[in-house]
Amino acid sequence: MSGKRSTFLISALVFGFAFLYVPILLVMIYSFNEGKLVTVWTGFSTKWYVSLFSNDGMIDAAWNSLRIGVMSATLALALGTPAGLVMSRFGRFKGRTLFSGMIAAPLVMPEVITGLSLLLLFVTLEQMVGWPAGRGISTITIAHTTFCAAYVAVVVQSRLSGMDTSVEEAAMDLGAKPAKIFFVITLPMILPALLAGWLLSFTLSLDDLVIASFVAGPGSTTLPMKVFSSVRLGVSPEINALATLIILAVSAMILISSLLILRSERNRSRAPSTEEA
Amino acid sequence: MTSDTPEKSLSLKQRFDRWMIKHGRVLVIGIPYIWLFLFFLVPFLIVLKISFAMAEYAQPPYSSLFDWIEEGVTVTLNFGNYLFLLSDSLYATAYLNSIRIAAISTVITLLIGYPMAYGIARARGSVRSILLMLVILPFWTSFLIRVYAWIGILDREGLINAFLLWTGIITEPLIMRQTEGAVFVGIVYTYLPFMILPLYSTLEKMDVSLIEAALDLGCKPWKAFLKVTLPLSMPGVLAGSLLVFIPSVGEFVIPELLGGPNTLMIGRTLWNEFFANRDWPIASAVAIAMLVFLVVPIMWFQHTQSKQEERQS
């Protein structure tokens, strides 16, 4: 590689990563600013963290978001895993085109459309059958489950289609039942994909503002809705503190998971050599 | 315990197994099918229905299409909403604006993301995984927070203005936040990781010896890039561009928080019709129009693209 080109690449990387990280770092730094204005540094203080934790509305919203996130990620896993299995292993069946369309479409659907259509469904259902009576946590969970299930299905499908089917075929030849094959062979092999799918769904649910705003009811304000309504008016030091906490939590999670992946890879590469010895 | 208990449970288990073999397949297909049908497909039919209704001061705020009278059902279809979308230039402008803004942002993201992806793909092993992690990290942090970070930078009382005023380069604060430029910055910033990752994965798989061969045969580096690297990385360019273009074209949060009141985008228009004007039928008509003129072409394009890839491989 010529020297000129690598200088260009290095400066592109430096510029790019500065662009990605400087705004986040500024938010983190100013969360410790004593003053209310972003522009003036008046001294180090953790008072915005204290006021964040005494903000009941914010705490309630965070709690709502976590509950919705866990529930919809789990439900999305339960629905998306069979959907991914069907897409990659079940071959042709009646209505397959519609099925694959319903899995692919949520990924490209603008959030405003998904939100509006689900709200209108809930309103119509309420008029016709009396359920759901009013909107809240449960309607947000259903909405999030629906679009997260599509993401899980895609993750599971791509893992399954990249996987060797010989073990499954051998088990089938030896007379194992389909359900047993799935739980004993397929499931352990796609476990990392399931974990990734769950985490992706949880993050998407935790992050969603638009769909939740459509299908939320009174008393079911989620964290993004709360953040959005206060951010609309401009910079708020409490939001800076919240952002810092979120970024730290995510960084810690990513660091731990990548360390775990590294360790399991190292173990796997070491395993054959210990057998030989 | 009597001896027939296990036998009985065995027969129950056998019966269950037989039932599972017979119906298991239908069950595995059926459950996600019914869920997606009920919560994804049916809602669109309802949106379609309400787009033909009229706005009313009622709960819910639209007229019903079907009237049950003694002889049967009368259906009142109201095409007024669609005629209104055509007659008011606001909607066409918002639609075209969304496509323009998303397209320009995608090109800028590509121009920033390509050299970064290339640099990461050519880095040494350990550095490479750290750089990749640094690309993925913002993707997992809150989208809203990342857009918010730019408010503090671009605002009238923001950091750039404060700095420029302090240095004396300007005497009046610049208006940067509520402009279209701020929307570009916001989209490029939030979707950059979506561009880098697919580009990286095609560039990393690429055979470096092809470029070396081109250089050995006297090709200029710039020409080698255009003739060898770029064509080989086209699948990544396309995948990354779609991942940026698709979500940004229907974007609501970024134009709302960073754009000005005149930065019309179709997602924001729908939101305002629904929340500010409380006109559910018009909002539904906008949604149907978006579906027909935006989502269907995108899905068709993706479909033909994947067909083409299948044929090539």
Side-chain angles (χ1 to χ4, degrees):
Chain A
M1 206 188 280
S2 69
K4 217 163 137 195
R5 213 166 91 203
S6 65
T7 340
F8 170 70
L9 286 181
I10 287 169
S11 49
L13 282 175
V14 169
F15 167 77
F17 280 110
F19 175 64
L20 277 178
Y21 280 90
V22 166
I24 297 178
L25 288 176
L26 285 173
V27 168
M28 292 172 83
I29 292 168
Y30 275 94
S31 73
F32 294 106
N33 186 10
E34 222 220 313
K36 214 174 160 68
L37 283 176
V38 205
T39 40
V40 208
W41 181 268
T42 46
F44 181 86
S45 153
T46 51
K47 75 176 190 194
W48 299 114
Y49 289 86
V50 177
S51 91
L52 176 71
F53 279 106
S54 48
N55 183 340
D56 287 336
M58 204 65 96
I59 301 286
D60 284 348
W63 182 234
N64 279 344
S65 275
L66 283 176
R67 268 168 54 197
I68 294 168
V70 169
M71 283 191 295
S72 42
T74 310
L75 273 172
L77 198 64
L79 286 165
T81 311
L85 189 75
V86 167
M87 289 300 294
S88 65
R89 291 280 194 271
F90 274 40
R92 300 206 166 274
F93 60 89
K94 217 175 156 189
R96 188 190 155 101
T97 317
L98 180 66
F99 191 71
S100 62
M102 288 195 300
I103 287 172
L107 309 179
V108 299
M109 197 59 68
E111 289 170 314
V112 280
I113 298 185
T114 313
L116 176 73
S117 65
L118 276 164
L119 170 75
L120 295 180
L121 172 82
F122 292 138
V123 170
T124 311
L125 277 179
E126 193 181 356
Q127 273 182 308
M128 282 165 62
V129 295
W131 179 90
R135 293 178 294 279
I137 304 264
S138 58
T139 49
I140 302 175
T141 307
I142 290 174
H144 285 179
T145 301
T146 308
F147 81 91
C148 290
Y151 280 91
V152 174
V154 170
V155 171
V156 169
Q157 186 195 351
S158 73
R159 176 82 187 94
L160 279 172
S161 54
M163 209 172 81
D164 191 12
T165 53
S166 57
V167 184
E168 286 169 15
E169 278 161 15
M172 214 183 300
D173 288 347
L174 293 170
K177 293 180 194 77
K180 186 158 190 180
I181 295 175
F182 177 75
F183 284 108
V184 177
I185 297 167
T186 317
L187 198 64
M189 284 174 92
I190 61 169
L191 210 58
L194 295 187
L195 190 68
W198 193 92
L199 279 176
L200 183 65
S201 304
F202 180 69
T203 317
L204 287 170
S205 165
L206 220 56
D207 215 17
D208 167 65
L209 164 77
V210 175
I211 297 172
S213 302
F214 275 98
V215 298
S220 62
T221 307
T222 63
L223 194 59
M225 287 162 73
K226 188 86 190 160
V227 169
F228 183 67
S229 64
S230 69
V231 152
R232 242 182 168 159
L233 308 170
V235 173
S236 130
E238 261 183 38
I239 300 294
N240 288 342
L242 178 72
T244 308
L245 292 177
I246 292 176
I247 292 160
L248 289 179
V250 170
S251 315
M253 216 171 72
I254 290 199
L255 208 67
I256 290 169
S257 65
S258 50
L259 282 178
L260 283 178
I261 291 169
L262 260 181
R263 212 176 64 180
S264 76
E265 267 171 11
R266 211 171 289 153
N267 283 348
R268 207 175 295 158
S269 62
R270 204 182 290 152
S273 62
T274 48
E275 267 167 36
E276 275 163 36
Chain B
M1 210 179 269
T2 51
S3 61
D4 63 45
T5 326
E7 211 172 45
K8 203 177 169 187
S9 76
L10 197 77
S11 76
L12 245 177
K13 193 181 173 297
Q14 274 175 338
R15 224 179 297 159
F16 176 73
D17 284 346
R18 215 163 289 157
W19 187 86
M20 274 304 286
I21 287 169
K22 212 170 157 193
H23 300 284
R25 193 181 148 90
V26 176
L27 205 70
V28 173
I29 297 175
I31 292 172
Y33 210 119
I34 290 170
W35 180 285
L36 286 171
F37 189 80
L38 181 62
F39 293 116
F40 188 73
L41 203 64
V42 172
F44 288 112
L45 302 177
I46 297 173
V47 173
L48 188 66
K49 188 196 111 182
I50 290 170
S51 73
F52 288 112
M54 269 186 285
E56 273 182 2
Y57 286 104
Q59 193 60 257
Y62 51 84
S63 65
S64 82
L65 298 187
F66 309 102
D67 288 308
W68 273 271
I69 49 174
E70 275 171 39
E71 301 92 76
V73 186
T74 62
V75 182
T76 329
L77 286 187
N78 166 31
F79 289 92
N81 300 319
Y82 290 98
L83 290 176
F84 185 69
L85 293 195
L86 285 175
S87 66
D88 194 333
S89 65
L90 175 110
Y91 301 98
T93 313
Y95 169 74
L96 293 175
N97 233 359
S98 305
I99 292 180
R100 186 177 55 86
I101 290 176
I104 295 175
S105 315
T106 306
V107 172
I108 302 172
T109 318
L110 181 64
L111 290 179
I112 299 176
Y114 199 103
M116 286 181 76
Y118 197 91
I120 296 171
R122 295 287 164 269
R124 267 177 291 115
S126 55
V127 181
R128 188 195 290 180
S129 43
I130 292 172
L131 292 180
L132 262 186
M133 209 175 79
L134 284 175
V135 173
I136 296 168
L137 184 74
F139 166 79
W140 291 97
T141 56
S142 167
F143 169 78
L144 198 54
I145 298 284
R146 278 181 292 146
V147 179
Y148 162 75
W150 282 95
I151 296 180
I153 296 173
L154 298 175
D155 218 9
R156 207 184 134 83
E157 280 99 35
L159 282 166
I160 293 181
N161 270 331
F163 178 75
L164 290 178
L165 285 172
W166 176 74
T167 54
I169 294 173
I170 53 168
T171 49
E172 279 281 297
L174 299 172
I175 293 169
M176 284 174 291
R177 184 181 155 203
Q178 297 183 318
T179 59
E180 210 174 271
V183 176
F184 290 135
V185 172
I187 293 177
V188 172
Y189 181 68
T190 44
Y191 293 115
L192 187 57
F194 290 91
M195 182 64 89
I196 295 177
L197 292 176
L199 276 176
Y200 164 80
S201 71
T202 50
L203 286 170
E204 187 240 15
K205 268 183 273 174
M206 207 175 65
D207 193 353
V208 191
S209 59
L210 291 173
I211 306 162
E212 277 165 8
L215 293 175
D216 285 349
L217 292 170
C219 194
K220 294 236 165 59
W222 183 241
K223 214 169 172 190
F225 172 79
L226 280 182
K227 296 237 161 180
V228 182
T229 316
L230 195 61
L232 283 174
S233 62
M234 266 335 257
V237 171
L238 201 67
S241 301
L242 277 178
L243 282 178
V244 175
F245 181 81
I246 291 170
S248 55
V249 78
E251 190 54 60
F252 161 73
V253 177
I254 297 172
E256 180 72 18
L257 289 182
L258 295 177
N262 297 324
T263 322
L264 288 176
M265 283 183 84
I266 193 75
R268 199 182 177 194
T269 308
L270 194 161
W271 176 287
N272 286 335
E273 288 299 347
F274 184 83
F275 284 102
N277 301 346
R278 280 189 64 79
D279 195 333
W280 292 19
I282 286 280
S284 303
V286 173
I288 295 294
M290 273 174 92
L291 210 61
V292 172
F293 293 110
L294 209 64
V295 180
V296 170
I298 286 170
M299 288 196 75
W300 181 79
F301 180 77
Q302 282 189 327
H303 184 73
T304 51
Q305 209 62 40
S306 63
K307 273 267 170 69
Q308 208 173 320
E309 263 169 44
E310 260 170 45
R311 220 175 299 139
Q312 274 169 0
S313 62

